[in-house]
Amino acid sequence: MKSSKFLILFLMVTLLILPNYELLSKSTKKVRLKQKKLIQESLLKLKTYLIGYKQISVDFPIVGTINTKSISTQHNQFNHSFLADKLLQNILLWLGTPYRLGGSSDNGIDCSNFVSKIIKETFNIHFPANAETQSRLVIPILNIDELSYGDLIFFSGNNKKSKRIGHVGIYLGNGIFAHSSTSKGVIISHITDGYYTQRFRFGGRLPLFEKDFVLH
């Protein structure tokens, strides 16, 4: 009798959970399809705008190489092919990660934490995770045309007229940059997408890293 009651209870719980499980499964598949589509769009931008980029796989882990002779480095730290490839590879591994304000993990990451993580993974140094602070730690570059591969690129927030820095990305060349978008997560965008041209404030070149950054 007890076993019969247990079986009935088990069936009732199963019937309650199963629809939610299937719904969760469909939702997860939808998120993954959206994620893959965004990754493909980003890789297409690399292929279109970044001469010398070779796409190997859309599946994880995404792997890519860069021909440093085909990109502008202006004698910055990325004129070394090892660092150029390392930067790109670190960016590719984060592609598709959802946006989360204050986030700094695979579950979600915001723009300044994304930049901070990439710099740490590339140079093994600490770099503050705040766009305004980051903008004060670089060598300013006022014109987009003067930016090189690996430079940072700074934007205002939603208010296009504001001078306050509210967004940051990593410039890759020919108008494209990697960043964590509030609506799409970690993607590669072109400066002409959306309102980025109007929101652009300035760029910045990373200084030579000798030790961790210390704010004064």
Side-chain angles (χ1 to χ4, degrees):
M1 188 68 177
K2 288 184 178 180
S3 60
S4 297
K5 288 183 177 179
F6 178 78
L7 180 60
I8 292 171
L9 181 62
F10 175 76
L11 290 172
M12 289 176 66
V13 172
T14 302
L15 288 172
L16 287 170
I17 294 176
L18 188 58
N20 292 328
Y21 175 79
E22 290 177 348
L23 184 63
L24 179 64
S25 179
K26 288 179 181 178
S27 176
T28 302
K29 286 180 181 178
K30 188 175 181 180
V31 169
R32 287 179 179 174
L33 283 173
K34 181 182 178 181
Q35 182 186 43
K36 190 169 184 177
K37 182 180 178 182
L38 289 172
I39 290 173
Q40 288 174 331
E41 289 176 359
S42 292
L43 294 178
L44 180 60
K45 279 191 169 66
L46 276 176
K47 185 178 180 180
T48 303
Y49 294 101
L50 200 58
I51 301 170
Y53 166 73
K54 295 181 180 179
Q55 178 184 331
I56 297 176
S57 173
V58 179
D59 299 320
F60 293 103
I62 305 168
V63 180
T65 58
I66 195 93
N67 180 0
T68 52
K69 293 181 180 179
S70 66
I71 60 174
S72 173
T73 58
Q74 297 294 326
H75 305 294
N76 69 10
Q77 297 174 79
F78 299 102
N79 59 354
H80 300 287
S81 59
F82 172 76
L83 281 177
D85 281 340
K86 190 175 182 182
L87 177 74
L88 179 63
Q89 186 57 47
N90 289 333
I91 289 172
L92 292 177
L93 290 172
W94 281 93
L95 278 185
T97 304
Y99 177 88
R100 179 177 292 176
L101 181 62
S104 60
S105 71
D106 295 344
N107 295 323
I109 194 167
D110 64 19
C111 64
S112 57
N113 270 295
F114 168 68
V115 169
S116 177
K117 285 277 188 181
I118 294 298
I119 292 176
K120 179 175 176 57
E121 291 166 359
T122 305
F123 295 101
N124 194 30
I125 61 102
H126 169 71
F127 195 68
N130 177 279
E132 185 73 41
T133 303
Q134 290 169 350
S135 71
R136 300 197 300 268
L137 295 174
V138 295
I139 302 164
I141 300 173
L142 300 180
N143 299 317
I144 295 176
D145 293 342
E146 295 176 8
L147 290 177
S148 298
Y149 178 86
D151 289 339
L152 301 190
I153 184 167
F154 298 96
F155 304 88
S156 64
N158 293 328
N159 184 354
K160 297 189 290 291
K161 295 181 179 180
S162 174
K163 293 183 179 180
R164 183 178 178 276
I165 300 302
H167 191 60
V168 60
I170 301 172
Y171 192 74
L172 298 177
N174 296 328
I176 61 172
F177 59 98
H179 63 130
S180 183
S181 160
T182 55
S183 59
K184 297 181 178 180
V186 178
I187 57 170
I188 293 171
S189 300
H190 192 273
I191 193 69
T192 58
D193 294 342
Y195 298 98
Y196 290 117
T197 301
Q198 294 94 319
R199 291 170 56 192
F200 171 75
R201 290 297 166 262
F202 57 88
R205 186 145 302 155
L206 296 168
L208 293 174
F209 300 134
E210 295 180 356
K211 58 182 178 178
D212 286 1
F213 281 93
V214 179
L215 300 181
H216 298 285

